[in-house]
Amino acid sequence: MASTIQVDKIQDQGGNTIISSNGSGTFTSNLPADWVKLHGSTLSGTASEVDIDTVFSSSYKVYKLFIVDYDVSTNGLIRVPFLVSGAVQTAAAYYIKYNDSYGNFTTASIDNGVFTDTAGFEINQGWYTNEDSDIKSGMEVTFYNPNDNTTHNSIQFNSILIQSGHWGWTEGVGFYDANIAATGLRVVPSAGTLSIGCAFYLYGLKV
């Protein structure tokens, strides 16, 4: 014979809630997870820049930033510099090496190169996003131990490439040419503003 246990929460021996329910099928879990969400936001209006600070620490070695449905009001490129306690880091150069594939829906060409700028890592290397609204845009950036200032901080990135007449991807690696204990990052277009609906999610991998 089947049995049913009905509770609104499960606690550990210390009285800490592990799982709770609102009684309507919505659950809240406090079970340990390797990936921890540290930030999530969506623009309700346009923005010239978005700061995500006080998120990098010694608690995590690897972080992943996802930018979803990004668009720029004019021919602007997405750049991501580091922050240290709210101050944007532009004293040294950001270096990247990249590969990309581009073309229309039925053709593909390959390109690669290098880029250096003090304004930040240029994630969608040379490709604008404001010229085609028919395809979802997105990018992912991985930060490796950015709060450690013993070596230059490194990243990996990939993004969907969308520009009038072109569709593809770009990927690459980069580093900041100075030793800093970064506490966060900024997302800023090289021109124009970030559009309404652009969403930002940052996760940390527990050590």
Side-chain angles (χ1 to χ4, degrees), residues 27-202:
F27 294 89
T28 300
S29 174
N30 294 316
L31 291 171
D34 290 333
W35 285 103
V36 178
K37 185 177 180 181
L38 302 174
H39 176 87
S41 63
T42 301
L43 292 182
S44 58
T46 60
S48 59
E49 62 192 30
V50 172
D51 286 358
I52 303 174
D53 203 8
T54 64
V55 287
F56 296 155
S57 70
S58 58
S59 298
Y60 308 92
K61 299 283 187 171
V62 180
Y63 299 81
K64 279 192 177 289
L65 170 70
F66 298 95
I67 306 176
V68 184
D69 291 341
Y70 68 88
D71 196 8
V72 181
S73 62
T74 186
N75 288 343
L77 304 168
I78 300 294
R79 291 175 175 168
V80 180
F82 285 116
L83 298 175
V84 175
S85 299
V88 64
Q89 303 299 292
T90 56
Y94 292 85
Y95 289 86
I96 68 168
K97 287 187 177 181
Y98 66 90
N99 297 312
D100 59 40
S101 176
Y102 59 94
N104 61 31
F105 290 170
T106 60
T107 64
S109 299
I110 302 295
D111 188 22
N112 57 66
V114 297
F115 178 81
T116 305
D117 199 297
T118 58
F121 298 113
E122 192 170 286
I123 304 302
N124 56 335
Q125 178 51 226
W127 295 96
Y128 305 127
T129 64
N130 64 300
E131 299 175 353
D132 193 332
S133 60
D134 296 331
I135 303 173
K136 287 286 188 181
S137 56
M139 58 177 58
E140 174 186 340
V141 186
T142 304
F143 299 86
Y144 294 101
N145 205 11
N147 194 238
D148 177 25
N149 65 359
T150 60
T151 56
H152 295 351
N153 292 328
S154 297
I155 68 162
Q156 281 183 284
F157 64 88
N158 61 79
S159 69
I160 298 171
L161 177 160
I162 304 169
Q163 190 170 320
S164 181
H166 293 281
W167 166 71
W169 54 265
T170 180
E171 65 177 4
V173 295
F175 71 91
Y176 182 59
D177 196 21
N179 293 4
I180 60 170
T183 58
L185 60 99
R186 172 174 291 174
V187 180
V188 56
S190 61
T193 57
L194 296 164
S195 298
I196 296 172
C198 183
F200 309 87
Y201 305 97
L202 184 76

